[in-house]
Amino acid sequence: MLKVGIVGLGGRMGHALYECCLGLDGAKIVCGIDKNTDTLPSGCSAEVVDDPYKLSAAPDLFIDFSRPDCSLNVLKYAKEHGCKVVLGTTGFDYDQKDQIKEYSKHVPIVFAANFSVGVNVLLNLVKKTAQIMGDSDIEIVEAHHRYKVDSPSGTALAIGEAAAAGRNVNLKDVMVSGRDGITGERIYGSIGFSSVRGGDIVGNHTAMFCSEGERVELSHIATSRQTFARGAFRAALWLENKKPGLYDMNEVLGLKA
Ligand code: NAD
């Protein structure tokens, strides 16, 4: 039985992970990390602390859906205590992503901006379409609930990375986000991002490939956080016998060519 610690247990994803685990045979939640103990799932009897260094015992693996500063502290603890990590938090800057790479030399990590199977299928389709429709203008539109704190979403950025990989360019060099005012004409070869925030939208993403006279749109709509929770536990069980390294959902799902 895999002993799992949930980081961000009191949050929206923490609740989804808790519910998901109730129906699983191979994994058990033994502890949680959250700075807010008022919003923990009801019925949860696991040890919950606000910092991993206060835990009485280390779990085998952490599933982390929290905030970047919290996740980096968990990775440090995981390195020192031999834990594995499934990392779903988004909003890391480039320097923080480099730190995750460093930790992965010692810690087996599955890091994905989106743990749903459908989005990972979408990422593969986006890369292929960007290759085939080489001259099209690529625009990525995402919509999320009113509480989301980062923009564009981690998934939108992953879609941008997939499109950029299909074009053999670096996303950093071609990204245009949140146009406003007199922006001038669209820059040829750029990849644009737009974000919508409102209500309880779980997560919508569309990649648009716009050419003269036609347009291809590839969309994914998440209707429940259970899709992310199931994917995260699938990644956790997959990680059980893996060596240190930075893995993604393509590898977990066997989609990597
Ligand atoms: P949320 O705000 O509902 O939950 C985050 C939880 O983390 C909160 O309970 C908060 O108290 C806790 N927390 C924050 N900072 C902390 C700290 N320093 N120490 C201890 N606890 C801390 O957010 P959410 O909607 O559950 O999303 C969490 C993260 O997961 C976000 O980055 C979101 O974008 C990401 N996310 C990823 C996927 C995916 O598939 N990869 C899917 C959904 C959400």
Side-chain angles (χ1 to χ4, degrees):
M1 177 75 70
L2 185 70
K3 291 184 198 140
V4 179
I6 303 291
V7 187
L9 183 58
R12 280 171 287 269
M13 275 307 299
H15 282 245
L17 290 159
Y18 180 79
E19 275 166 39
C20 182
C21 195
L22 293 176
L24 288 179
D25 291 333
K28 183 176 186 289
I29 296 174
V30 294
C31 62
I33 314 288
D34 207 300
K35 63 180 179 184
N36 185 357
T37 48
D38 296 338
T39 57
L40 297 175
S42 58
C44 174
S45 58
E47 178 186 26
V48 182
V49 291
D50 61 1
D51 188 306
Y53 286 91
K54 295 182 185 167
L55 285 172
S56 58
D60 300 325
L61 177 144
F62 286 105
I63 299 182
D64 182 329
F65 286 74
S66 61
R67 292 288 180 271
D69 58 335
C70 177
S71 306
L72 290 172
N73 186 40
V74 166
L75 284 170
K76 182 169 178 285
Y77 176 91
K79 178 184 166 186
E80 291 163 9
H81 292 79
C83 315
K84 300 179 170 72
V85 178
V86 169
L87 187 52
T89 300
T90 63
F92 295 100
D93 61 28
Y94 284 106
D95 175 57
Q96 290 172 324
K97 284 185 182 167
D98 284 344
Q99 291 182 51
I100 296 169
K101 261 186 220 150
E102 271 307 303
Y103 280 119
S104 73
K105 291 178 183 162
H106 310 277
V107 182
I109 303 171
V110 177
F111 181 34
N114 196 304
F115 278 91
S116 84
V117 174
V119 159
N120 287 283
V121 171
L122 179 77
L123 292 176
N124 287 284
L125 295 175
V126 164
K127 183 174 175 188
K128 194 82 193 155
T129 309
Q131 266 166 359
I132 296 170
M133 296 185 70
D135 262 354
S136 61
D137 297 331
I138 303 177
E139 291 288 317
I140 297 159
V141 184
E142 56 103 342
H144 281 87
H145 52 89
R146 60 168 70 113
Y147 304 106
K148 186 160 179 63
V149 296
D150 52 318
S151 167
S153 70
T155 302
L157 291 170
I159 292 170
E161 300 275 7
R167 293 259 165 102
N168 278 322
V169 295
N170 280 323
L171 180 61
K172 258 199 259 186
D173 301 333
V174 295
M175 176 169 175
V176 173
S177 186
R179 297 184 187 90
D180 186 29
I182 311 297
T183 57
E185 289 182 8
R186 192 180 197 285
I187 301 164
Y188 179 76
S190 59
I191 297 180
F193 291 80
S194 310
S195 299
V196 175
R197 293 288 174 265
D200 62 355
I201 302 170
V202 175
N204 295 0
H205 293 89
T206 298
M208 302 169 70
F209 299 84
C210 312
S211 300
E212 296 284 337
E214 65 172 348
R215 183 168 82 239
V216 170
E217 294 190 7
L218 301 172
S219 290
H220 178 268
I221 298 172
T223 52
S224 160
R225 289 185 180 83
Q226 281 305 316
T227 186
F228 311 129
R230 277 195 302 272
F233 274 107
R234 188 165 169 172
L237 296 169
W238 178 87
L239 206 47
E240 223 171 337
N241 303 314
K242 296 289 179 293
K243 295 196 176 105
L246 193 55
Y247 304 99
D248 62 22
M249 272 311 269
N250 267 336
E251 285 158 293
V252 175
L253 299 172
L255 295 173
K256 206 144 204 162

